[in-house]
Amino acid sequence: MTRALPIDPAEVAWHVERLAHFGAHGATGVWRTVYSPEWTAAQQQLAEWFQAAGLSVRQDAVGNLWGRLEGSAGCGVIATGSHVDSQRPGGQYDGALGIIAGLLAVKHLRQTYGSPRRPLEVVSLCEEESSRFPTAAYWGSRAITGQVRPADLTEVRDFDGVPIADVMRGVGLDPDRVAEAVRHDLDAFIELHIEQGPFLEDANLPVAIVSGITGMRHYLVTLTGRADHAGAVPMDRRLDPMAGAAEIISGVIGNAFRLGRPAVTTVGQIRAEPGGRAIVPDRVIFTVDARHPVPEQRAELYRQHESLIREVAARRGLRLTLEIMLDIDPAPSDPAIMALHEASARGLEIPCLVLPSGAGHDSQRMATICRTGMLFVQSRDGRSHTPDEYTAPEHAAAGIAVLAATLHGLAYDE
Ligand code: HGY
Ligand code: MN
Ligand code: MN
C-alpha cells in the first residue's frame, strides 16, 4: 500500500481495545453474550461513540443499536455494521471490528463530504453467535428481516432452558414488539469482518472482497443407550452411546474430508450423562456443524451425515434423536457491490483477494431483504473464535478505507 489511508490505524486499535473491556476474558479474550451486563455496557459505549460521530441513535425492539446519518434524498438506506456478541470465549475482533469499521467509515465520510444523498446507518447487531441461545440463529438480523416467529420467543431458550423473551424483558426490551424491528427501507448492507481463516495471510494481503457466504446446518445428536458398570459389564453386553458417538464423529468428519474443500464439518460440543468416570454413559449428546457453499454438494454432505448417524444408531441398538438447530442458506454477494469494492480498492491502491466465506455472517440474513457485500481483513495465523484472534491495525484501516469508499459510492453518488 503506497497511498496514505484516510483511516488512522491507531484510532482503530483504540476502539477495538476499548470495546474489548466489556466482557474482557483473560488478556486478549472476550466473553460477551447477548443481553448480558457486559453486552448492555458495550451497546451503551457504542451509542456514545455513534452520538459523538454525529449520528442519531436508537435501539430497536430486539436490542440492535442503529446510528443514522440523514440523507438529502431520504430513499434506500445504506447500512453497515456487524454483531456485538461473542463466542464463549471469543476474540476482540469477531463482529466488533465490523461495527467499529462502520462507525469510523461513516465518521470519515461525514467529516469529508458532509451529508449523503441516501441515509447512512451503522448497526451493532445484538446477536450472531448463538453463544447463549443455541437456536437464536442470528437473532438481530433475523428480527430485522422478519424471520422471528411469535413462537420463537418462548421456543428459543438459553442453555439453562430460559426463554429468550424472559431474558429480553430483563434488559428492558418488550418481546411482544419484536415485529417492530423489521426494516423495509434498506437498499444495501455492507459488512466488514475478520477473515477468520488463513488465506489472506498466505497471500500476504490485507483485504479480501467476499464472493459469497457458505450455507450451514447445526445438528444436535442425542444417543441413548444404557448406563452400566464400567468394569463388571463385558464389552459385548453393553449398549454404549459413547461407542456410537465415537463412530459417528469420526464418520462425519471423514465425510467432509472425502468430499474435499470447501466442505467442512465440526463437532464442537459433546456431553456424556451422567458423566461418571466408571459409568458407561446412559446418554451422549453432541453437535455437528456442517457447511458447504454449493447447494448440490451441501445437500450431499447433509445426506451422508444423516444416513451415517441413523445407520450407526440402529446397528448399535441406540435410541436416536436428531434435531436441526440452525439451517441457513448460502448468500452470494451482490455483483455490483463487489465491483464497487474492486474499484474502491484499486483507487486506494490496496491489493485484494476475492474469497468465499466459510464462516456464517449476519449478511446472509440481510441478503434476504437487500443487496449485500462483505469485506474481509487479515486474521493473524488465520485464527478466530479464540482469545488469540488478532488483526493488525494497518490491515483493519485498509479494509475500512475500502469500506468508506464503497459507502461513498452507494450513498453520495447519483
Ligand atoms: O459460526 C460461524 O460461522 C459464525 O462465526 N457464527
Ligand atoms: Mn463468530
Ligand atoms: Mn462474526
Side-chain angles (χ1 to χ4, degrees):
M1 287 174 287
T2 50
R3 283 186 48 177
L5 289 174
I7 302 295
D8 176 3
E11 188 178 13
V12 180
W14 184 86
H15 282 83
V16 168
E17 192 269 333
R18 184 81 203 97
L19 195 58
H21 276 300
F22 304 101
H25 183 84
T28 61
V30 171
W31 185 305
R32 188 168 62 223
T33 56
V34 67
Y35 305 136
S36 62
E38 48 277 7
W39 173 93
T40 302
Q43 290 288 62
Q44 181 51 42
Q45 173 63 81
L46 286 162
E48 289 166 18
W49 286 345
F50 286 7
Q51 221 132 28
L55 308 181
S56 60
V57 180
R58 71 179 183 90
Q59 187 165 55
D60 72 13
V62 290
N64 297 315
L65 184 75
W66 295 89
R68 182 180 171 101
L69 182 60
E70 270 316 329
S72 52
C75 60
V77 172
I78 308 298
T80 182
S82 193
H83 59 94
V84 71
D85 66 310
S86 77
Q87 285 286 346
R88 301 185 307 169
Q92 299 184 351
Y93 299 83
D94 181 357
L97 184 63
I99 305 165
I100 292 165
L103 166 66
L104 297 184
V106 171
K107 184 177 152 193
H108 161 70
L109 291 172
R110 178 174 177 268
Q111 287 170 348
T112 314
Y113 304 101
S115 295
R117 281 178 39 76
R118 292 170 193 79
L120 268 170
E121 293 196 28
V122 185
V123 61
S124 168
L125 294 161
C126 68
E127 190 282 338
E128 187 272 353
E129 300 285 13
S130 294
S131 52
R132 178 171 184 177
F133 299 91
T135 57
Y138 306 22
W139 190 246
S141 48
R142 196 170 153 187
I144 293 164
T145 55
Q147 299 178 58
V148 172
R149 304 165 306 144
D152 293 324
L153 292 159
T154 46
E155 289 173 11
V156 172
R157 292 170 177 262
D158 69 13
F159 288 100
D160 300 323
V162 180
I164 197 164
D166 296 359
V167 179
M168 287 174 69
R169 288 188 192 96
V171 291
L173 295 169
D174 178 356
D176 298 331
R177 300 181 59 178
V178 162
E180 294 173 23
V182 178
R183 295 290 296 261
H184 299 288
D185 58 347
L186 301 182
D187 171 42
F189 178 70
I190 317 290
E191 182 174 10
L192 181 142
H193 202 284
I194 52 172
E195 179 204 338
Q196 303 181 294
F199 300 112
L200 274 171
E201 190 173 65
D202 289 353
N204 191 24
L205 290 175
V207 179
I209 294 163
V210 176
S211 53
I213 305 168
T214 192
M216 79 169 89
R217 189 174 271 184
H218 280 184
Y219 295 97
L220 184 67
V221 183
T222 304
L223 294 171
T224 304
R226 188 187 62 222
D228 272 323
H229 193 289
V233 177
M235 297 305 281
D236 60 320
R237 301 283 292 273
R238 297 180 180 195
L239 277 180
D240 182 355
M242 187 59 87
E247 187 176 350
I248 288 169
I249 291 167
S250 158
V252 293
I253 289 170
N255 287 345
F257 260 110
R258 279 185 295 279
L259 211 55
R261 287 184 182 183
V264 289
T265 292
T266 311
V267 175
Q269 279 176 352
I270 184 166
R271 189 176 76 245
E273 290 177 353
R277 285 197 306 277
I279 307 173
V280 175
D282 173 50
R283 271 196 329 172
V284 173
I285 306 105
F286 59 95
T287 56
V288 177
D289 171 321
R291 309 183 189 200
H292 200 295
V294 177
E296 303 74 31
Q297 304 274 352
R298 191 169 62 256
E300 175 57 18
L301 183 67
Y302 296 168
R303 191 198 59 72
Q304 288 182 19
H305 287 354
E306 291 173 23
S307 64
L308 171 77
I309 292 166
R310 291 197 172 87
E311 188 278 324
V312 171
R315 174 165 37 85
R316 288 178 174 273
L318 301 169
R319 206 147 34 81
L320 166 68
T321 57
L322 181 56
E323 295 163 70
I324 294 175
M325 300 198 306
L326 169 67
D327 198 4
I328 192 158
D329 290 334
S333 299
D334 177 79
I337 291 178
M338 284 185 68
L340 200 47
H341 284 331
E342 274 156 24
S344 302
R346 206 170 29 252
L348 288 158
E349 296 170 14
I350 294 173
C352 279
L353 269 188
V354 176
L355 275 181
S357 173
H361 298 284
D362 284 296
S363 289
Q364 66 198 113
R365 286 266 189 222
M366 300 298 271
T368 61
I369 62 165
C370 66
R371 302 185 291 158
T372 58
M374 286 193 75
L375 289 164
F376 278 165
V377 291
Q378 192 186 110
S379 292
R380 183 183 63 187
D381 302 333
R383 304 281 312 283
S384 179
H385 282 190
T386 159
D388 295 341
E389 200 173 85
Y390 178 78
T391 289
E394 57 277 7
H395 291 160
I400 300 170
V402 176
L403 172 67
T406 293
L407 293 174
H408 182 270
L410 291 167
Y412 286 80
D413 291 355
E414 287 298 321

